[in-house]
């Protein structure tokens, strides 16, 4: 039987968290191996930013940079400082003893420290017209896209009734002419303070027990066909922007319950740290963050994970 390759650090993921961890671990001469995935969680290698167009809020780029271009640059920087990248999805891990075992299609790998940066995938409705107008009016991130000129002083729609939907509706009310919040039940799931914010905002109008059926438009989105479930009547709402806020799914299936998660499935880390409950296993980026969910915050925790992994390995020597 061939020997199993053993590494100091393995990183799983390929978004800003994984690549920042890789750059730091590479520069610390830990020769990291990074599994970037192959359409893992339905997202291309490079992560969620590969699904968007222009990024205007990542520091260092005074001109907007394309999401895929930014991720190509991060990948190049990881490789430049000594990271080996495998375009494979990790199918399982064994965390019961160190070195940990990481399994992908090409076999098993052992590692002294493991950094999990597998991100989260925004849920979609799968309604008619969604694919056609995705990033042509439809977005899964209001904080990322809401300030774009195409949405300024235009009617906007948000779907969802949780904290994210309320937060995004409030944020969008600064830019849009009106914001319509489509809520599928007759109550909001959001915290009371978030509900108060939305309900006291004159620009936000809530449509209760209403579901979206179809995205309409020509070259770009112009409206949404909805159904009022109380009356069973359909109507079209004018909309230049449609923002999904119906939750995210953290990509943790391959862990098979070996690490603690919160009720929404996000990995739990110690306060001000990326340490999980298993010494030597670290989690960074959106897989552990359901509040901020930004490229720069993912990158920040990626840096923390690499520094903590380096200190952990040093403490064993
Ligand atoms: P992700 O970017 O989610 O990447 C994780 C990667 O890991 C994915 O490629 C996935 O395929 C891979 N993976 C998952 N499981 C496995 C596995 N088992 N094996 C191997 N690989 C695996 N943020 C901003 O700051 N500015 C913006 O303008 C902005 N725009 C956005 C627009 C959209 C449409 C979306 C959806 C998000 C946007 N965001 C933006 C948010 C930002 O993309 C995320 O916060 C950030 O990408 C999270 O980074 P991450 O490294 O945690 O993981
Ligand atoms: P949630 O899962 O809390 O809410 C999702 C919302 O989308 C729910 O109202 C749900 O409706 C609705 N929804 C789900 N699927 C559909 C669908 N197919 N059609 C229509 N509506 C749908 O996700 P969030 O992202 O809002 O929040 C996730 C977690 O992050 C929560 O714990 C939240 O508290 C936290 N958070 C905290 C923030 C803060 O403190 N500032 C900011 C953002 C998030 P229904 O209610 O009927 O199930």
């Amino acid at each position: 039987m061939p020997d199993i390759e053993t590494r100091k650090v393995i990183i799983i993921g390929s978004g800003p968290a994984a690549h920042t961890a890789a750059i730091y671990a590479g520069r610390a001469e830990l020769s990291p191996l990074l599994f970037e995935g192959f359409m893992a969680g339905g997202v291309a290698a490079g992560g969620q930013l590969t699904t968007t167009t222009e990024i205007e809020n990542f520091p260092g780029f005074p001109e907007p940079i394309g999401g895929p271009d930014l991720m190509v640059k991060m990948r190049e920087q990881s490789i430049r400082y000594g990271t080996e990248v495998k375009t494979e999805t990790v199918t399982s891990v064994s965390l019961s003893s160190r070195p940990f075992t990481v399994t992908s299609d090409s076999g098993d790998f052992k590692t002294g420290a493991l950094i999990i940066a597998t991100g989260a995938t925004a849920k979609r409705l799968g309604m008619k017209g969604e694919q056609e107008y995705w990033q042509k009016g439809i977005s899964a991130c209001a904080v990322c896209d809401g300030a774009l000129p195409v949405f300024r002083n235009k009617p906007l729609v948000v779907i969802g009734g949780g904290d994210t939907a309320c937060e995004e509706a409030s944020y969008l009310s600064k830019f849009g002419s009106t914001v319509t919040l489509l809520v599928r039940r007759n109550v909001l799931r959001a915290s009371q303070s978030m509900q108060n914010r939305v309900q006291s905002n004159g620009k936000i109008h809530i449509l209760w027990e209403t579901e979206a059926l179809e995205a309409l438009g020509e070259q770009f989105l112009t409206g949404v066909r909805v159904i009022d479930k109380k009356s069973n009547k359909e109507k079209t709402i004018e909309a230049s922007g449609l923002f999904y806020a119906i939750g995210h799914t953290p990509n943790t299936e391959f862990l098979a319950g070996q690490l603690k998660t919160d009720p929404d499935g996000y990995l739990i880390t110690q306060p001000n740290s990326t340490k999980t409950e298993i010494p030597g296993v670290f989690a960074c980026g959106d897989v552990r963050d359901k509040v901020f969910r930004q490229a720069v915050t993912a990158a920040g925790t990626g840096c923390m994970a690499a520094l903590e992994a380096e200190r952990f390995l040093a403490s064993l020597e």
Side-chain angles (χ1 to χ4, degrees):
M1 221 167 99
D3 284 344
I4 297 180
E5 192 179 329
T6 301
R7 295 291 183 132
K8 288 181 182 144
V9 176
I10 286 182
I11 299 165
I12 312 174
S14 51
H19 281 300
T20 306
I23 293 160
Y24 274 78
R27 293 189 71 249
E29 299 183 345
L30 296 173
S31 309
L33 173 60
L34 180 149
F35 287 90
E36 67 179 354
F38 185 79
M39 292 308 291
V43 180
Q48 294 173 62
L49 289 186
T50 64
T51 68
T52 189
T53 48
E54 303 213 311
I55 312 294
E56 296 182 333
N57 54 10
F58 198 84
F61 297 92
E63 295 300 320
I65 177 164
D69 297 342
L70 179 60
M71 293 321 301
V72 166
K73 283 185 187 291
M74 287 195 200
R75 189 179 190 274
E76 283 172 4
Q77 198 174 348
S78 295
I79 292 169
R80 175 177 182 163
Y81 292 107
T83 298
E84 183 187 341
V85 177
K86 280 193 186 287
T87 309
E88 294 172 17
T89 298
V90 169
T91 49
S92 65
V93 294
S94 172
L95 307 179
S96 52
S97 61
R98 282 191 61 256
F100 309 116
T101 306
V102 173
T103 304
S104 74
D105 285 345
S106 64
D108 289 344
F109 299 79
K110 295 270 183 197
T111 185
L114 181 65
I115 296 178
I116 300 166
T118 46
T121 308
K123 289 183 192 163
R124 295 191 185 190
L125 288 172
M127 69 175 172
K128 210 169 155 200
E130 176 179 284
Q131 195 59 33
E132 200 176 340
Y133 296 108
W134 193 259
Q135 293 301 317
K136 290 181 183 164
I138 307 182
S139 161
C141 184
V143 177
C144 317
D145 298 333
L148 295 175
V150 285
F151 299 127
R152 299 264 167 155
N153 300 312
K154 297 280 169 52
L156 306 176
V157 172
V158 176
I159 306 179
D163 279 323
T164 303
C166 291
E167 196 165 66
E168 300 206 337
S170 304
Y171 178 76
L172 289 170
S173 70
K174 290 191 240 169
F175 308 108
S177 54
T178 57
V179 178
T180 304
L181 184 61
L182 300 186
V183 181
R184 67 176 172 183
R185 292 188 292 149
N186 61 359
V187 286
L188 290 169
R189 177 187 291 272
S191 58
Q192 193 56 51
S193 63
M194 220 49 117
Q195 295 194 25
N196 295 346
R197 246 167 81 182
V198 160
Q199 284 170 338
S200 62
N201 184 322
K203 268 190 165 179
I204 302 175
H205 170 58
I206 302 181
L207 288 184
W208 301 102
E209 295 184 65
T210 304
E211 286 186 8
L213 298 175
E214 183 179 1
L216 305 165
E218 288 161 18
Q219 210 184 340
F220 292 96
L221 183 87
T222 55
V224 191
R225 187 164 62 85
V226 301
I227 182 163
D228 178 329
K229 292 195 295 178
K230 303 181 290 295
S231 62
N232 245 358
K233 284 205 175 122
E234 294 183 14
K235 65 175 174 181
T236 297
I237 308 174
E238 199 191 340
S240 298
L242 173 61
F243 295 85
Y244 285 9
I246 58 171
H248 283 70
T249 309
N251 298 315
T252 54
E253 215 177 331
F254 68 101
L255 293 169
Q258 292 172 83
L259 289 173
K260 278 189 201 144
T261 62
D262 74 6
D264 297 313
Y266 289 83
L267 293 180
I268 294 173
T269 52
Q270 293 174 19
N272 296 322
S273 167
T274 61
K275 291 176 187 166
T276 67
E277 74 272 24
I278 300 181
V281 181
F282 306 88
C284 53
D286 282 14
V287 74
R288 63 174 281 284
D289 174 14
K290 64 185 179 193
V291 177
F292 299 106
R293 295 196 280 232
Q294 294 296 296
V296 73
T297 49
T301 54
C303 159
M304 287 164 65
L307 294 178
E308 291 190 309
E310 187 188 352
R311 285 172 199 158
F312 170 78
L313 293 170
S315 73
L316 302 174
E317 281 167 10

